[in-house]
Amino acid sequence: MSPEVGQGTPGRAEEGGDVAATPDVHDAAVKITRAKEAYKAYARLEEEPTKGEVLGWCLYGLCSYFIQTVLIPIVFPLLISQIKGPVEVNSQKWETNTRGFNCLVKELNLYEELTRRKIRLNSLHLSALDWTSISWAMGLILAAPILTTVSAHLDRGPNHHLIAAAATATGALFCLPTGIFPTPSIFPPYIAAVSAAVTVCAAAHTRDLGPMVRGLTGPTVSRSQFPNRRSAAGRLSLYAVTAGSLGSAAVSAFTFHMLRHGDRFLSLWVVSIFSGIIWFAGIVPVFSHIRPNPPPNSTPKSKFLSIFKYPHAAGTLAAVFLSSLSTMSIFTGGILHLISQLCIKPQNLLYLWLTYFLSPLLSLPLVHLIKPNSVKMQILGFLLSALTAGMGFYHRSKNWQSGHVLAFTAAQGVAAGLLHGFGRVLAVDCSPVGREGTFGAWWAWARAAGTWAGFVVAVSGSHRNVGRAFGVAFWVVVVGVVVMVFGSVSDLEGAVAAGHVREERIENGSPVKGLDEGGEIEFGGESLEVAFEGKMKP
């Protein structure tokens, strides 16, 4: 039976009795799709981030930022201090200190538990604060080889998001059993694991900023268009810092609430568990913004020490370390001074924490409206820190007024947000395409090391002398400004060196550098030769 009209053998036609094969349309479509993907990989084009992806990126900041700002420097020392019971104190409710303040004995007891050297390590006698700083340092040492290993996978691996998820799960897991064994000797592994995990998480989180910025602005921009890239990067980073500040405020408020319970050790353990659960929830936004890395053969293989070939990136690392050192030194030193010397009321301590963490929430979202320069914003953050440290040092022997304390706390909170947010933007601007993981690893470790160093400065030596913490912070800030100004650190020049900015707009031909002269694109092991007269070679 002959076929009806419109029917026949697919892919075949009868012409004069001969059967000729028609072109394989499906095969042609596959080749065109591969060509587009290869061109996209070569051009380093990125899809514009969706609202869900941006929201997920910010939510991860909400779920992880508080680890280095609240959990390690506040919750863990308090938890360690409660292990062997309270210090024997006077049974009266109030006590007058050397400055004439009526101090609540319960609060003085809490301070004495933090600073009393009751932990023995060979011939050394250490306080809960000292024990935390040693454990924190172990985490930094542990993080260094891990970052060296995972940075290449963050740059070029197909499953880079699994690194962030694994680090998050590991760190969150170590937050859960902190109260099972009530002995100080078990805390170094806990704190070291949490510290190393959050550093790896910060590296992976920073890596994701680069592709999102390119999705909003394109692979390269002209010098006149660089303010658009600057605005996009600043907006994304500041929103993440804002979300992280909200998380820090929530955890600090919960910590204060649990401290008012009778069994402080059990209550603080609950805070640690709560922190681990929030952090573990960050795995969900990790999988909401997966951006594939460029193919391995489309970007040069990065080396971990290659960052030092970029002077602006190296200057950024120095600024990040110094800014983290100064902010943590001011924060921790100021809190200890207010509790021990000025006998701050418990509710005022809560207001102080909320002011510090919520001030970025109110101010930073407005900063991006002026398309700020990341270098200038970092200098502004340094100057605000210098103001706080300088005034604190100058008036260290005087009694501070509550209104003045809250005002400077708000200013310092804004400074911390600016330094953190724009330090990350500057690191991404100086990072070449395909090396965001390596540069993000350096940035994360520098920030973690600076935060630890600031904590050590604040808690070492005499805890009753705030001048050390504020004095060191002031001179560190001065050095930071010198690095930024006289080191000629520039986001624009750093972006030029990294290949994000072209000298002049290409008017004709392909927007991909090099495609106007001839070349070969490799994708997935196959080569597609491009004839630059506008035709595809067979």
Side-chain angles (χ1 to χ4, degrees), residues 230-291:
R230 178 184 287 162
S231 176
R235 182 170 65 253
L236 290 172
S237 185
L238 290 182
Y239 283 169
V241 174
T242 301
S245 299
L246 180 61
S248 296
V251 175
S252 63
F254 184 61
T255 302
F256 178 83
H257 173 73
M258 298 305 289
L259 277 174
R260 301 173 71 90
H261 288 222
D263 190 345
R264 285 177 172 173
F265 181 80
L266 181 60
S267 300
L268 291 168
W269 183 16
V270 172
V271 175
S272 181
I273 294 174
F274 177 73
S275 300
I277 293 173
I278 295 178
W279 195 8
F280 189 81
I283 293 179
V284 175
V286 163
F287 288 98
S288 68
H289 58 277
I290 300 174
R291 281 186 172 263

Coordinates of all heavy atoms in Angstrom, one line a residue, residues 230-291:
R230 N 30.8 48.3 39.7 CA 31.0 48.7 41.1 C 29.7 48.7 41.9 O 29.6 48.2 43.0 CB 31.7 50.1 41.1 CG 32.0 50.6 42.4 CD 32.6 52.0 42.3 NE 33.9 52.0 41.8 CZ 34.5 53.0 41.2 NH1 33.8 54.2 41.0 NH2 35.8 53.0 40.8
S231 N 28.7 49.3 41.3 CA 27.4 49.3 42.0 C 26.8 48.0 42.2 O 26.2 47.7 43.2 CB 26.4 50.2 41.2 OG 25.1 50.2 41.7
A232 N 26.8 47.1 41.1 CA 26.3 45.8 41.2 C 27.0 44.9 42.3 O 26.3 44.3 43.1 CB 26.4 45.1 39.9
A233 N 28.3 45.0 42.3 CA 29.1 44.2 43.3 C 28.8 44.7 44.7 O 28.6 43.9 45.7 CB 30.5 44.2 43.0
G234 N 28.8 46.0 44.9 CA 28.6 46.6 46.2 C 27.2 46.3 46.7 O 27.0 46.0 47.9
R235 N 26.2 46.4 45.8 CA 24.8 46.1 46.3 C 24.7 44.6 46.8 O 24.1 44.4 47.8 CB 23.9 46.3 45.1 CG 22.4 46.1 45.5 CD 21.5 46.6 44.4 NE 21.6 45.9 43.2 CZ 22.2 46.3 42.1 NH1 22.7 47.6 42.1 NH2 22.3 45.6 41.0
L236 N 25.2 43.7 46.0 CA 25.1 42.3 46.4 C 25.9 42.0 47.7 O 25.4 41.3 48.6 CB 25.7 41.4 45.3 CG 24.9 41.3 44.0 CD1 25.7 40.5 42.9 CD2 23.6 40.6 44.3
S237 N 27.1 42.6 47.8 CA 27.9 42.3 49.1 C 27.2 43.0 50.3 O 27.1 42.3 51.4 CB 29.3 42.8 48.9 OG 30.1 42.5 50.0
L238 N 26.7 44.2 50.1 CA 26.1 44.9 51.3 C 24.8 44.2 51.7 O 24.6 44.2 52.9 CB 25.9 46.3 50.9 CG 27.1 47.2 50.8 CD1 26.8 48.6 50.5 CD2 28.0 47.2 52.0
Y239 N 24.1 43.7 50.8 CA 22.9 43.0 51.2 C 23.2 41.8 52.0 O 22.5 41.4 52.9 CB 22.0 42.6 49.9 CG 21.3 43.8 49.3 CD1 20.7 43.7 48.1 CD2 21.1 45.0 50.0 CE1 20.0 44.8 47.5 CE2 20.4 46.1 49.5 CZ 19.8 45.9 48.2 OH 19.2 47.0 47.7
A240 N 24.2 41.1 51.6 CA 24.6 39.9 52.3 C 25.1 40.2 53.7 O 24.8 39.5 54.7 CB 25.7 39.1 51.6
V241 N 25.9 41.3 53.8 CA 26.4 41.8 55.1 C 25.2 42.2 56.0 O 25.1 41.9 57.2 CB 27.3 43.0 55.0 CG1 27.7 43.5 56.3 CG2 28.6 42.5 54.3
T242 N 24.2 42.8 55.4 CA 23.0 43.3 56.1 C 22.3 42.0 56.7 O 21.8 42.0 57.8 CB 22.1 44.1 55.2 OG1 22.8 45.2 54.8 CG2 20.9 44.5 56.0
A243 N 22.1 41.0 55.8 CA 21.4 39.8 56.3 C 22.2 39.1 57.4 O 21.7 38.6 58.4 CB 21.2 38.8 55.1
G244 N 23.6 39.1 57.2 CA 24.4 38.5 58.3 C 24.3 39.3 59.6 O 24.3 38.6 60.7
S245 N 24.2 40.6 59.5 CA 24.1 41.4 60.7 C 22.8 41.1 61.5 O 22.8 41.0 62.7 CB 24.2 42.9 60.4 OG 25.4 43.2 59.8
L246 N 21.8 40.8 60.7 CA 20.5 40.5 61.3 C 20.6 39.1 62.0 O 20.1 39.0 63.1 CB 19.4 40.4 60.2 CG 18.0 40.0 60.7 CD1 17.5 41.1 61.7 CD2 17.1 39.9 59.5
G247 N 21.3 38.2 61.4 CA 21.5 36.9 62.1 C 22.3 37.1 63.3 O 22.0 36.4 64.4
S248 N 23.4 37.9 63.3 CA 24.2 38.1 64.5 C 23.4 38.8 65.6 O 23.5 38.4 66.8 CB 25.4 39.0 64.1 OG 26.2 38.4 63.2
A249 N 22.5 39.7 65.3 CA 21.7 40.3 66.3 C 20.7 39.3 66.9 O 20.5 39.3 68.2 CB 20.9 41.5 65.7
A250 N 20.2 38.4 66.1 CA 19.2 37.4 66.7 C 20.0 36.5 67.6 O 19.5 36.2 68.7 CB 18.6 36.7 65.5
V251 N 21.1 36.0 67.2 CA 21.8 35.0 68.1 C 22.4 35.7 69.3 O 22.3 35.1 70.4 CB 23.0 34.4 67.3 CG1 23.8 33.5 68.2 CG2 22.4 33.6 66.1
S252 N 22.8 36.9 69.2 CA 23.3 37.6 70.4 C 22.2 37.9 71.4 O 22.3 37.8 72.6 CB 24.0 39.0 70.0 OG 23.1 39.9 69.4
A253 N 21.0 38.3 70.9 CA 19.8 38.5 71.8 C 19.4 37.2 72.4 O 19.1 37.1 73.6 CB 18.7 39.0 70.9
F254 N 19.5 36.1 71.7 CA 19.1 34.8 72.3 C 20.2 34.4 73.3 O 19.8 33.8 74.4 CB 19.1 33.7 71.2 CG 18.6 32.4 71.6 CD1 17.4 32.2 72.2 CD2 19.5 31.3 71.5 CE1 17.0 30.9 72.6 CE2 19.1 30.0 71.9 CZ 17.8 29.8 72.5
T255 N 21.4 34.7 73.1 CA 22.5 34.4 74.1 C 22.2 35.2 75.4 O 22.3 34.6 76.5 CB 23.9 34.8 73.5 OG1 24.1 34.1 72.3 CG2 25.0 34.5 74.5
F256 N 21.9 36.5 75.2 CA 21.6 37.3 76.4 C 20.4 36.7 77.2 O 20.4 36.6 78.4 CB 21.3 38.7 76.0 CG 20.9 39.6 77.1 CD1 21.9 40.2 77.9 CD2 19.6 39.9 77.4 CE1 21.5 41.0 79.0 CE2 19.2 40.7 78.5 CZ 20.2 41.3 79.3
H257 N 19.4 36.3 76.5 CA 18.2 35.7 77.1 C 18.5 34.4 77.9 O 18.1 34.2 79.0 CB 17.1 35.4 76.0 CG 15.9 34.6 76.6 ND1 15.0 35.2 77.4 CD2 15.6 33.3 76.4 CE1 14.1 34.3 77.7 NE2 14.4 33.2 77.1
M258 N 19.4 33.6 77.3 CA 19.7 32.3 78.0 C 20.6 32.5 79.1 O 20.7 31.7 80.1 CB 20.3 31.3 77.0 CG 19.4 31.0 75.8 SD 17.8 30.3 76.3 CE 18.3 28.7 77.0
L259 N 21.4 33.6 79.1 CA 22.3 33.9 80.3 C 21.5 34.2 81.5 O 22.1 34.1 82.6 CB 23.2 35.1 79.9 CG 24.5 34.7 79.1 CD1 25.2 36.0 78.7 CD2 25.4 33.8 79.9
R260 N 20.3 34.6 81.4 CA 19.5 35.0 82.6 C 18.9 33.7 83.3 O 18.3 33.9 84.4 CB 18.4 35.9 82.2 CG 18.8 37.2 81.5 CD 17.7 38.0 80.9 NE 16.9 38.6 82.0 CZ 17.1 39.8 82.5 NH1 18.1 40.5 82.1 NH2 16.3 40.2 83.5
H261 N 19.1 32.5 82.7 CA 18.6 31.3 83.3 C 19.6 30.9 84.4 O 20.8 31.2 84.5 CB 18.5 30.2 82.3 CG 17.3 30.4 81.4 ND1 16.5 29.5 81.0 CD2 16.9 31.6 80.8 CE1 15.5 30.0 80.1 NE2 15.8 31.2 80.0
G262 N 19.1 30.0 85.3 CA 19.9 29.6 86.5 C 21.1 28.7 86.0 O 22.2 29.0 86.5
D263 N 20.8 27.7 85.3 CA 21.9 26.8 84.8 C 22.5 27.4 83.5 O 22.0 27.1 82.4 CB 21.3 25.4 84.5 CG 22.4 24.4 84.3 OD1 23.5 24.8 84.0 OD2 22.1 23.2 84.4
R264 N 23.5 28.2 83.6 CA 24.0 28.9 82.5 C 24.7 27.9 81.5 O 24.7 28.1 80.3 CB 25.0 29.9 82.9 CG 24.4 31.2 83.5 CD 25.4 32.1 84.0 NE 24.8 33.4 84.4 CZ 25.5 34.4 85.0 NH1 26.8 34.2 85.3 NH2 24.9 35.5 85.4
F265 N 25.4 26.9 82.0 CA 26.0 25.9 81.1 C 25.1 25.3 80.2 O 25.3 25.2 79.0 CB 26.8 24.9 82.0 CG 27.6 23.9 81.1 CD1 28.8 24.2 80.6 CD2 27.0 22.6 80.8 CE1 29.5 23.3 79.8 CE2 27.7 21.7 80.1 CZ 29.0 22.1 79.5
L266 N 24.0 24.8 80.7 CA 23.0 24.1 79.9 C 22.3 25.1 79.0 O 22.1 24.8 77.8 CB 21.9 23.5 80.8 CG 20.8 22.7 80.1 CD1 21.3 21.6 79.2 CD2 19.7 22.2 81.1
S267 N 22.1 26.3 79.4 CA 21.5 27.4 78.6 C 22.4 27.7 77.4 O 21.9 27.9 76.3 CB 21.2 28.6 79.5 OG 20.3 28.3 80.5
L268 N 23.7 27.9 77.7 CA 24.6 28.2 76.6 C 24.8 27.1 75.6 O 25.0 27.3 74.5 CB 25.9 28.7 77.2 CG 25.9 30.0 78.0 CD1 27.2 30.2 78.8 CD2 25.7 31.2 77.0
W269 N 24.7 25.9 76.1 CA 24.7 24.7 75.2 C 23.5 24.8 74.3 O 23.7 24.5 73.1 CB 24.7 23.4 76.1 CG 24.8 22.2 75.2 CD1 25.2 22.1 73.9 CD2 24.5 20.8 75.6 NE1 25.2 20.8 73.5 CE2 24.7 20.0 74.5 CE3 24.0 20.3 76.8 CZ2 24.5 18.6 74.6 CZ3 23.8 18.9 76.9 CH2 24.0 18.1 75.8
V270 N 22.4 25.2 74.8 CA 21.2 25.3 73.9 C 21.5 26.4 72.8 O 21.1 26.2 71.7 CB 20.0 25.7 74.7 CG1 18.8 26.1 73.8 CG2 19.6 24.6 75.7
V271 N 22.2 27.5 73.2 CA 22.6 28.5 72.2 C 23.5 27.9 71.1 O 23.3 28.2 69.9 CB 23.3 29.7 72.9 CG1 23.7 30.7 71.8 CG2 22.3 30.4 73.9
S272 N 24.4 27.1 71.5 CA 25.3 26.4 70.6 C 24.6 25.5 69.6 O 24.8 25.5 68.4 CB 26.4 25.6 71.3 OG 27.3 25.0 70.4
I273 N 23.6 24.7 70.2 CA 22.8 23.9 69.3 C 21.9 24.7 68.4 O 21.8 24.4 67.2 CB 21.9 23.0 70.2 CG1 22.7 22.0 71.0 CG2 20.9 22.2 69.4 CD1 21.9 21.2 72.1
F274 N 21.3 25.8 68.9 CA 20.5 26.7 68.0 C 21.4 27.2 66.9 O 20.9 27.3 65.8 CB 20.0 27.8 68.9 CG 19.2 28.8 68.2 CD1 17.9 28.5 67.7 CD2 19.7 30.1 68.0 CE1 17.2 29.5 67.0 CE2 19.0 31.0 67.3 CZ 17.7 30.7 66.8
S275 N 22.6 27.6 67.2 CA 23.5 28.2 66.2 C 23.8 27.1 65.1 O 23.9 27.4 63.9 CB 24.8 28.7 66.9 OG 24.5 29.7 67.8
G276 N 24.1 25.9 65.6 CA 24.4 24.8 64.6 C 23.2 24.5 63.7 O 23.4 24.3 62.5
I277 N 22.0 24.6 64.2 CA 20.8 24.4 63.4 C 20.7 25.5 62.4 O 20.4 25.2 61.2 CB 19.6 24.3 64.3 CG1 19.6 23.0 65.2 CG2 18.3 24.2 63.5 CD1 18.5 22.9 66.2
I278 N 20.8 26.7 62.8 CA 20.7 27.8 61.8 C 21.8 27.7 60.7 O 21.5 27.8 59.5 CB 20.9 29.2 62.5 CG1 19.7 29.4 63.5 CG2 20.9 30.3 61.5 CD1 19.8 30.7 64.2
W279 N 23.0 27.4 61.2 CA 24.1 27.2 60.2 C 23.8 26.1 59.2 O 24.0 26.2 58.0 CB 25.4 27.0 61.0 CG 26.6 27.2 60.1 CD1 26.7 27.6 58.9 CD2 28.0 26.9 60.5 NE1 28.0 27.7 58.4 CE2 28.8 27.2 59.5 CE3 28.5 26.4 61.7 CZ2 30.2 27.0 59.5 CZ3 29.9 26.2 61.8 CH2 30.7 26.5 60.7
F280 N 23.3 25.0 59.8 CA 23.0 23.8 58.9 C 21.9 24.2 57.9 O 21.9 23.7 56.8 CB 22.6 22.6 59.8 CG 22.4 21.3 59.0 CD1 23.5 20.6 58.7 CD2 21.2 20.9 58.6 CE1 23.4 19.4 58.0 CE2 21.1 19.7 57.8 CZ 22.2 19.0 57.6
A281 N 21.0 25.0 58.3 CA 19.9 25.4 57.4 C 20.5 26.2 56.2 O 19.9 26.3 55.1 CB 18.9 26.3 58.1
G282 N 21.8 26.7 56.3 CA 22.4 27.4 55.2 C 22.7 26.5 54.0 O 23.0 27.0 52.9
I283 N 22.6 25.2 54.2 CA 22.8 24.3 53.1 C 21.7 24.5 52.0 O 22.0 24.4 50.8 CB 22.8 22.8 53.5 CG1 24.0 22.5 54.4 CG2 22.8 21.8 52.4 CD1 24.1 21.1 55.0
V284 N 20.5 24.8 52.4 CA 19.4 25.1 51.5 C 19.8 26.2 50.5 O 19.7 26.0 49.3 CB 18.1 25.3 52.2 CG1 17.0 25.7 51.2 CG2 17.7 24.1 53.0
P285 N 20.1 27.4 50.9 CA 20.5 28.4 50.0 C 21.8 28.1 49.2 O 21.9 28.7 48.1 CB 20.7 29.7 50.8 CG 20.9 29.2 52.2 CD 20.1 28.0 52.3
V286 N 22.6 27.2 49.7 CA 23.8 26.9 48.9 C 23.4 26.2 47.6 O 24.0 26.5 46.5 CB 24.7 25.9 49.7 CG1 25.7 25.1 48.8 CG2 25.5 26.6 50.8
F287 N 22.4 25.4 47.6 CA 21.9 24.7 46.4 C 20.9 25.5 45.6 O 20.4 25.1 44.6 CB 21.3 23.4 46.8 CG 22.3 22.4 47.2 CD1 22.5 22.1 48.5 CD2 23.0 21.6 46.3 CE1 23.4 21.2 49.0 CE2 23.9 20.7 46.7 CZ 24.2 20.5 48.0
S288 N 20.6 26.8 46.1 CA 19.7 27.6 45.3 C 20.4 28.5 44.3 O 19.7 29.2 43.5 CB 18.9 28.4 46.3 OG 19.7 29.4 46.9
H289 N 21.7 28.6 44.4 CA 22.4 29.5 43.5 C 23.7 28.8 42.9 O 24.8 29.3 43.1 CB 22.8 30.8 44.2 CG 23.6 30.7 45.4 ND1 23.1 30.4 46.6 CD2 24.9 30.8 45.6 CE1 24.0 30.4 47.5 NE2 25.1 30.6 46.9
I290 N 23.5 27.6 42.3 CA 24.6 26.9 41.8 C 25.0 27.5 40.4 O 24.2 27.5 39.5 CB 24.3 25.4 41.6 CG1 24.0 24.8 43.0 CG2 25.5 24.7 41.0 CD1 23.5 23.4 42.9
R291 N 26.2 28.0 40.3 CA 26.7 28.5 39.0 C 27.9 27.6 38.6 O 28.9 27.6 39.3 CB 27.1 30.0 39.1 CG 25.9 30.9 39.1 CD 26.3 32.3 39.1 NE 25.2 33.1 38.8 CZ 24.8 33.6 37.7 NH1 25.5 33.4 36.6 NH2 23.7 34.4 37.5

